[in-house]
């Protein structure tokens, strides 16, 4: 699950007094070019510069999973990824999961199984869960629990999250049409 | 009239009405809001636990790129402490003076154009300290103590005589560590002034309290302050106070004349927004040979901040948990150089329940009596202190149903008698009697010309399902489909409702919504009282019920009219009614208002060689009175119980005994339960609607947690023969 894209060359300053860079990448299918301080993480860029606040910050230390997004189809912690590392990459966030205006089957399953309470970890849980199916790691409840353990839920909706993922897996996984 | 009494005991499992927004990333939490022209704050915190600031050099920070201001005690005028709230005093004002009372105390706020600039500049603030040895320990002889802090110490009968008369006695000391609430959402405040008007997006469980506090501190009318918290990334009690960082953000925004956003870091969440305080409890129990309790003595001591208060009566619950003629409870707090504690899900009862229900297990063992049978022989069928019947009590049913579902009868009595490969297996249980709590509430219900309803109050949905259950309730009372009801919550401009806390919001706000909806139907009947065009004219409230988007006669289904038709004919765009609720009074009821009851049955497996503990099964049965939504209520119990698993096996905020610094203030080091720690869970609701309110609910936000730690400790004993009286239960205790 380690993701280490190459760091692109520095671009002209975008903030007074600190080094800046411009990053061109794709977010939810739309090409974006973002000029920012080189210290800006993918997480802060999504939330602060692209107004995609569905991706959440729970620790900013890579320990809670709330900021999980997909980069080139793999789950990645956006708080541990610098924006500048995403040059040329395809990023998918919770806002980009729906298809033709319809929620992703995993989003629907989370609602049906009450796989959340406060909802703050939910975008990260769902992004992890969707990747889990792609990784073929949702064959048993034990596997689901093991490979979802990087996503903390302090409200502790865990049994319901497992039920939601199991439900989607049994209905055909990522291709499920619910 | 449609009333709550016609609702089912366990309500339909409607999916959460805010589910689509939350799963799409569209629900907006406090940190998701920005204001035009906002600046960003970053806190500087003390690196000593006690002493004084001898100097602060802010010159490098002030010269750093983008920095707008650095606030310290040298340039912030004395701000008044917030007012007394319904849950006690407000925290001390920030940056009052040069004194340091705990490690991690805020000593400066840096505000800059961007988050990165503020964070970088905060590292450039140089603070000189004169340190003194901090008080960090419960037994430090220098510590000042507070006896009976809440007036809840109790005594009935004669405990010494009861113990003397007992055939069997047990006595033990139990310790619980600091736990940190750690809601996943980082607490944040976005403060924007427009002249004397202040708008704040704050991570609070109690918008009306934050409004009152900010109005008081900043000297503006309450009507000039609006506090918003429509969604919150958890709180578990951490959002029950207007913390110093909130005051600082608002102050900075006023000084800089631009909006300021301040988001705490995860390490700052350990020192800035409370925690469940560590404590020691001493319990003595005595019983007759046939297992009747003759004496309960429970003494608790917990840590408290140097100049703040916290509600944490560990022992108080033991006064009413069992039928017992001789009871003594004593609580004491010990002031120390620690960050302020706060209620953390099931305050006091989380810790008190661990001690009492562990001691009950030890008593059962001493009596050679089944632990469930011991509980059953001591159920308090009337309120033990008041002598009044309960407004509801299905504790016996909790025990019976739980035992059946868990398969309790197959449990061998002897500890360390079951094995599954290299795992030792044990089963145990614990009971819960959670206290009743309710605060006054207001609410408003409106039906608009398009036949939709808007219902709300300033209380908020912390994730318990308030939006959903009040939508269901309002829809039922107004005869509307749920999709035509919109709930408005988490906004201090709405009618004043209490905090999301104390398992009391559903009862308080729900009862107020019930009242508002009832009065709204009355208002519609008033409108058509003399209306010759209305088939309902002359109808009294008892003649009608709400159905199909309007009102119809009970005696003639054809005499009905929709809300939109009534409003249209009378040229009204909408009709509103205000409702209220007040807490029940035992004297008026002739009954003792009951909180929720419950029973937990747990199986653990302990690795014989490694001491690893795994919870393999958990059956919980809860009497929560009327359950408005089976799905969201079940989630509350699951979440509470897993909080109990965390308390039992993982959670431990470790403070360095010399420096007073929290040594594990990250999610990498402070362990909370993860997916892999949690087995399948079995939750069942039993009981009847409670008689203390028309709604009949009792609140289920906390009861699921209480007793779980004891049940696990008892199961570890049953598996291994080792009694662990100190949480969390880590492998070193079992090797």
């Amino acid at each position: 699950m380690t993701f280490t894209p190459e760091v692109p060359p520095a671009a002209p300053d975008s903030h007074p007094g600190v080094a800046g860079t411009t990053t061109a990448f794709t977010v939810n299918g739309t090409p974006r070019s973002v000029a920012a301080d080189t210290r800006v993480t993918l997480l802060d860029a999504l939330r602060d510069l692209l107004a995609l606040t569905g991706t959440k910050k729970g620790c900013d230390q890579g320990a809670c999973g709330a900021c999980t997004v997909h980069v080139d189809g793999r789950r990645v912690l956006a708080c541990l990824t610098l924006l500048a590392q995403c040059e040329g990459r395809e990023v998918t966030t919770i806002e980009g999961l729906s298809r033709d205006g319809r929620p992703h089957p995993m989003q629907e399953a989370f609602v049906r199984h009450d796989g959340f309470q406060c909802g703050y970890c939910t975008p990260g849980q769902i992004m992890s869960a969707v990747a889990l199916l792609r990784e073929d790691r949702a064959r048993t409840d034990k596997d689901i629990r093991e490979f979802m353990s990087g996503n903390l839920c302090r409200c502790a909706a865990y049994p319901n999250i497992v039920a939601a993922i199991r439900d989607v897996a049994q209905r055909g996984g990522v291709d499920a049409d619910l | 009239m449609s009333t709550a009494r016609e609702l089912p005991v366990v309500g339909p499992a409607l999916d959460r009405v805010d589910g689509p927004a939350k799963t799409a990333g569209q629900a907006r939490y406090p940190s998701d809001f920005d204001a035009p022209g906002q600046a960003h704050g970053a806190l500087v915190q003390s690196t000593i636990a006690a002493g004084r600031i001898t100097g602060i050099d802010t010159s490098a920070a002030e010269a750093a790129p983008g920095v707008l201001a650095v606030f310290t005690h040298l340039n912030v005028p004395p701000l008044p402490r917030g007012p007394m709230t319904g849950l006690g005093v407000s925290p001390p004002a920030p940056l009052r003076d040069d004194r340091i009372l705990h490690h991690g105390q805020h000593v400066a706020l840096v505000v800059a154009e961007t988050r990165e600039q503020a964070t970088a500049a905060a590292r450039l603030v140089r603070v000189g300290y004169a340190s003194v040895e901090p008080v960090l320990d419960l037994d430090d002889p220098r510590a000042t103590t507070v006896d009976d802090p809440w007036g809840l110490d109790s005594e009935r009968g004669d405990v010494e005589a009861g113990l003397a008369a007992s055939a069997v006695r047990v006595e033990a000391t139990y310790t619980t560590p600091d736990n940190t609430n750690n809601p996943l959402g980082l607490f944040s405040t976005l403060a924007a002034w427009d002249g004397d008007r202040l708008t704040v997006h704050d991570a609070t469980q109690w918008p009306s309290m934050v409004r009152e506090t900010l109005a008081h501190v900043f000297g503006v009318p309450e009507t000039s302050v609006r506090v918003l918290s429509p969604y919150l990334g958890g709180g578990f009690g951490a959002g029950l106070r207007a913390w110093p960082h909130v005051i600082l953000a608002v102050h900075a925004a006023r000084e800089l004349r631009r909006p300021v956003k301040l988001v705490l870091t995860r390490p700052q969440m350990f020192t800035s927004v409370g925690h469940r305080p560590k404590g020691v409890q001493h319990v003595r129990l005595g019983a007759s040979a046939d297992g009747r309790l003759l004496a309960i003595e429970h003494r608790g001591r917990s840590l408290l901040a140097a100049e703040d208060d916290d509600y944490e009566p560990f022992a108080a619950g033991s006064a009413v948990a069992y039928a017992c003629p001789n009871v003594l409870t004593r609580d004491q707090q010990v002031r120390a150089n620690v960050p302020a504690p706060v209620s953390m899900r099931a305050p006091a009862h989380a810790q008190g329940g661990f001690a009492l229900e562990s001691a009950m297990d030890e008593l059962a063992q001493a009596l050679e009596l089944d632990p469930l049978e011991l509980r059953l022989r001591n159920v308090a069928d009337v309120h033990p202190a008041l002598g009044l019947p309960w407004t509801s009590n299905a504790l016996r049913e909790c025990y019976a149903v739980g035992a059946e579902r868990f398969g309790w009868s197959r449990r061998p009595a002897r500890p360390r008698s079951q094995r599954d490969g290299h795992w030792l297996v044990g089963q145990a249980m614990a009971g819960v009697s959670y206290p009743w709590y309710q605060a006054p509430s207001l609410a408003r219900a409106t039906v608009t010309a398009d036949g939709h309803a808007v219902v709300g109050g300033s209380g908020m949905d912390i994730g318990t399902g308030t939006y959903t259950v009040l939508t269901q309730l309002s829809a039922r009372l107004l005869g509307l489909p749920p999709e035509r009801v919109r709930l408005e919550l988490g906004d201090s401009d709405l009618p004043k409702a209490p905090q999301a806390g104390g398992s009391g919001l559903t009862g308080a706000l729900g009862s107020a919504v019930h009242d508002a909806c009832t009065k709204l139907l009355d208002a519609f009947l008033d409108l058509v009282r003399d209306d010759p065009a209305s088939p309902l004219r002359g109808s009294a409230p008892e003649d009608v019920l709400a159905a199909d988007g309007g009102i119809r006669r009970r005696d003639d289904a054809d005499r009905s009219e929709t809300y939109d038709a009534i409003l249209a004919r009378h040229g009204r765009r909408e009709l509103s009614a205000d409702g209220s609720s007040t807490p029940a009074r035992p004297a008026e009821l002739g009954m003792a208002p009951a909180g929720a009851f419950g029973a937990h049955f747990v199986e653990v497996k302990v690795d014989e060689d490694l001491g690893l503990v795994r919870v393999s099964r958990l059956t919980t049965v809860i009497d929560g009175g009327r359950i408005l939504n089976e799905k969201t209520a079940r989630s509350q119990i699951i979440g509470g119980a897993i909080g109990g698993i965390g308390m039992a096996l993982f959670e431990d905020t470790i403070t360095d005994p010399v420096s007073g610094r929290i040594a594990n203030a990250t999610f990498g080091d402070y362990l909370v339960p993860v997916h892999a720690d949690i087995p399948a869970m079995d939750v069942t609701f039993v009981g009847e609607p409670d008689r203390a309110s028309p709604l009949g609910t009792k609140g289920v936000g906390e009861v699921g947690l209480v007793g779980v730690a004891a049940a696990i400790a008892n199961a570890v004993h049953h598996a291994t023969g080792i009694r662990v009286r100190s949480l969390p239960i880590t492998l070193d205790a079992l090797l």
Side-chain angles (χ1 to χ4, degrees):
Chain A
M1 253 175 281
T2 313
F3 171 70
T4 49
E6 308 106 60
V7 179
D13 262 16
S14 58
H15 283 269
V18 293
T21 186
T22 299
T23 305
F25 64 135
T26 304
V27 181
N28 298 331
T30 305
R32 309 296 295 251
S33 181
V34 178
D37 188 321
T38 49
R39 296 168 294 190
V40 172
T41 62
L42 174 59
L43 174 58
D44 287 337
L46 291 170
R47 292 177 52 80
D48 297 347
L49 305 177
L50 298 174
L52 293 170
T53 55
T55 305
K56 300 303 182 198
K57 183 184 286 188
C59 69
D60 220 18
Q61 295 176 317
C64 78
C67 65
T68 305
V69 298
H70 298 170
V71 176
D72 291 346
R74 301 166 70 185
R75 43 179 171 160
V76 159
L77 298 172
C79 75
L80 293 188
T81 307
L82 289 171
L83 169 65
Q85 290 174 283
C86 295
E87 178 71 26
R89 305 279 171 180
E90 286 187 23
V91 175
T92 305
T93 70
I94 189 73
E95 291 93 343
L97 269 194
S98 61
R99 301 169 184 167
D100 307 323
R102 283 196 57 208
H104 187 282
M106 193 64 79
Q107 291 171 306
E108 294 182 324
F110 266 64
V111 174
R112 209 164 46 244
H113 291 278
D114 212 33
F116 54 90
Q117 294 178 30
C118 82
Y120 195 86
C121 73
T122 311
Q125 299 276 359
I126 290 174
M127 296 308 285
S128 245
V130 169
L132 196 75
L133 296 181
R134 242 182 245 142
E135 296 160 11
D136 195 20
R137 283 168 161 159
R139 292 185 178 190
T140 65
D141 284 2
K142 187 164 181 282
D143 273 1
I144 295 171
R145 291 189 186 113
E146 184 66 29
F147 292 107
M148 286 295 292
S149 281
N151 289 83
L152 304 183
C153 175
R154 193 59 166 147
C155 301
Y158 295 130
N160 296 353
I161 294 171
V162 172
I165 297 172
R166 183 199 309 132
D167 188 351
V168 180
Q170 288 172 349
R171 292 179 192 223
V174 277
D175 300 321
D177 187 16
L178 305 180
Chain B
M1 177 60 58
S2 308
T3 71
R5 297 201 195 286
E6 298 169 37
L7 295 173
V9 177
V10 177
L14 182 73
D15 290 344
R16 282 175 200 259
V17 298
D18 50 355
K22 284 180 172 175
T23 53
Q26 299 301 323
R28 297 184 75 193
Y29 298 79
S31 63
D32 295 339
F33 289 90
D34 293 303
Q38 77 187 7
H40 295 264
L43 290 162
V44 181
Q45 297 187 304
S46 160
T47 56
I48 66 165
R52 289 184 182 276
I53 299 171
T54 54
I56 298 191
D57 180 0
T58 59
S59 57
E62 284 165 356
V67 171
L68 300 165
V70 180
F71 297 94
T72 71
H73 72 281
L74 298 173
N75 61 10
V76 170
L79 295 166
R81 187 171 188 161
M84 183 63 77
T85 77
L87 293 180
V89 299
S90 287
L95 305 182
R96 287 179 292 171
D97 49 36
D98 62 356
R99 295 178 310 141
I100 298 297
L101 300 176
H102 68 89
H103 203 289
Q105 178 180 324
H106 308 319
V107 296
L109 173 69
V110 178
V111 183
E113 295 285 351
T114 71
R115 175 199 321 282
E116 291 76 18
Q117 290 168 336
T119 304
R123 292 196 201 101
L124 302 176
V125 175
R126 294 282 167 260
V127 186
Y129 297 103
S131 186
V132 300
E133 186 186 346
V135 174
L136 298 168
D137 192 80
L138 278 164
D139 297 319
D140 191 318
R142 296 172 301 153
T144 57
T145 56
V146 187
D147 289 322
D148 192 14
W150 314 276
L152 292 174
D153 281 2
S154 63
E155 185 167 9
R156 65 172 184 266
D158 182 338
V159 160
E160 293 304 335
L163 286 167
S166 293
V168 174
R169 289 173 284 274
V170 297
E171 176 171 0
T173 299
Y174 303 89
T175 63
T176 52
D178 288 323
N179 288 166
T180 301
N181 304 48
N182 269 322
L184 210 66
L186 297 172
F187 271 30
S188 73
T189 303
L190 170 62
W193 288 90
D194 178 9
D196 274 348
R197 288 198 60 82
L198 170 65
T199 303
V200 179
H201 291 273
D202 188 42
T204 182
Q205 296 170 231
W206 198 355
S208 66
M209 177 277 294
V210 176
R211 176 170 88 156
E212 286 164 23
T213 302
L214 295 178
H216 176 89
V217 171
F218 293 97
V220 295
E222 272 188 45
T223 50
S224 296
V225 181
R226 186 178 187 193
V227 177
L228 295 151
S229 183
Y231 293 103
L232 179 61
F236 315 105
L240 292 174
R241 308 189 83 193
W243 295 104
H245 74 271
V246 179
I247 309 295
L248 272 178
V250 173
H251 173 74
R254 189 167 66 169
E255 291 295 307
L256 292 169
R257 298 176 180 276
R258 59 189 285 188
V260 169
K261 184 173 180 175
L262 174 61
V263 184
L264 299 185
T265 65
R266 180 54 56 183
Q268 288 168 352
M269 291 288 288
F270 283 75
T271 53
S272 309
V273 293
H275 63 276
R276 176 187 284 155
K278 72 158 72 170
V280 175
Q281 300 172 73
H282 193 75
V283 179
R284 293 199 292 168
L285 301 179
S288 61
D290 65 348
R292 310 279 168 185
L293 280 167
L294 295 176
I296 300 174
E297 181 184 280
H298 191 159
R299 295 174 183 271
R301 301 172 73 220
S302 64
L303 270 190
L304 181 63
E307 295 184 3
D308 206 349
D309 290 351
D310 176 44
Y311 178 82
E312 214 71 50
F314 289 177
S318 291
V320 294
Y322 291 103
C324 177
N326 306 300
V327 176
L328 178 80
T329 71
R330 290 287 181 267
D331 274 293
Q332 183 185 66
Q333 288 180 304
V334 179
R335 293 201 179 276
N337 295 112
V338 295
V342 76
S343 294
M344 175 171 164
R345 201 170 195 170
H349 297 275
Q351 303 98 319
F354 167 63
L356 179 64
E357 291 299 297
S358 292
M360 286 294 282
D361 201 65
E362 300 201 45
L363 181 63
Q365 189 191 357
L367 285 160
E368 298 184 1
L369 182 64
D370 181 278
L372 174 59
E373 183 57 32
L374 175 63
R375 266 77 169 193
L376 287 170
R377 288 184 190 177
N378 293 284
V379 167
D381 289 316
V382 298
H383 190 284
L386 301 174
L388 294 171
W390 299 96
T391 49
S392 61
N393 186 339
L395 181 56
R396 288 184 185 278
E397 195 180 352
C398 292
Y399 286 135
V401 171
E404 175 66 26
R405 295 182 71 88
F406 187 76
W408 183 257
S409 62
R410 294 190 293 278
R411 173 188 185 264
R414 194 165 56 85
R416 208 180 176 99
S417 60
Q418 301 167 92
R419 177 181 285 279
D420 174 11
H422 59 101
W423 297 96
L424 303 172
V425 182
Q427 298 90 13
M429 50 82 59
V432 194
S433 301
Y434 205 71
W436 169 84
Y437 169 79
Q438 193 181 325
S441 183
L442 304 176
R444 181 172 301 141
T446 301
V447 169
T448 53
D450 60 359
H452 285 63
V454 181
V455 178
S458 70
M460 52 83 60
D461 184 342
I462 195 175
T464 49
T466 314
Y467 280 114
T468 306
V469 299
L470 295 185
T471 296
Q472 288 176 277
L473 177 66
S474 306
R476 178 80 184 224
L477 295 173
L478 294 173
L480 291 167
E483 55 273 17
R484 276 168 62 186
V485 177
R486 183 165 57 85
L487 255 288
E488 289 185 339
L489 298 173
D491 179 347
S492 67
D493 276 2
L494 295 166
K496 184 175 172 180
Q499 73 279 9
S503 299
L505 182 61
T506 299
L509 182 53
S511 293
V513 164
H514 179 265
D515 188 44
C517 290
T518 302
K519 286 177 173 158
L520 185 55
L521 285 189
D522 291 348
F524 271 99
L525 289 181
D526 278 348
L527 209 55
V528 299
R529 182 174 310 283
D530 305 314
D531 179 353
S534 174
L536 298 170
R537 70 182 173 282
S539 296
E542 57 273 21
D543 299 333
V544 302
L545 53 83
D548 304 326
I551 303 173
R552 78 163 183 241
R553 298 271 310 183
R554 285 183 185 270
D555 58 358
D556 182 356
D558 290 337
R559 286 179 65 188
S560 68
E561 206 172 12
T562 58
Y563 299 121
D564 47 344
I566 296 172
L567 291 173
R569 200 169 56 252
H570 289 265
R572 302 286 287 263
R573 291 170 55 194
E574 62 179 42
L575 201 56
S576 285
D578 290 322
S580 65
S581 69
T582 51
R585 293 186 187 86
E588 290 172 13
L589 284 172
M591 295 184 279
F597 296 94
H600 303 290
F601 295 80
V602 172
E603 179 180 87
V604 301
K605 295 185 176 181
V606 181
D607 187 299
E608 188 175 18
D609 300 320
L610 303 177
L612 288 174
V613 181
R614 309 290 298 172
V615 177
S616 50
R617 285 199 292 142
L618 199 156
T619 291
T620 290
V621 183
I622 298 293
D623 162 20
R626 189 192 305 284
I627 298 299
L628 295 177
N629 180 321
E630 194 275 340
K631 185 178 282 193
T632 55
R634 179 174 177 274
S635 289
Q636 281 303 291
I637 300 306
I638 287 174
I642 295 174
I645 292 175
M647 179 184 177
L649 299 179
F650 306 116
E651 301 194 34
D652 186 2
T653 310
I654 298 168
T655 298
D656 179 85
V658 176
S659 69
R661 172 182 174 271
I662 293 174
N664 61 341
T666 74
F667 268 147
D669 299 305
Y670 181 90
L671 303 185
V672 300
V674 304
H675 277 283
D677 298 314
I678 304 306
M681 296 171 66
D682 174 33
V683 175
T684 306
F685 294 103
V686 299
E688 297 289 329
D690 186 67
R691 293 179 288 176
S693 73
L695 208 53
T697 62
K698 295 204 281 191
V700 293
E702 292 165 301
V703 64
L705 187 149
V706 182
V708 169
I712 290 173
N714 297 341
V716 166
H717 175 264
H718 190 239
T720 64
I722 300 171
R723 176 69 62 182
V724 183
R725 300 187 182 89
S726 177
L727 297 183
I729 302 168
T730 46
L731 52 83
D732 50 298
L734 301 172
L735 293 177

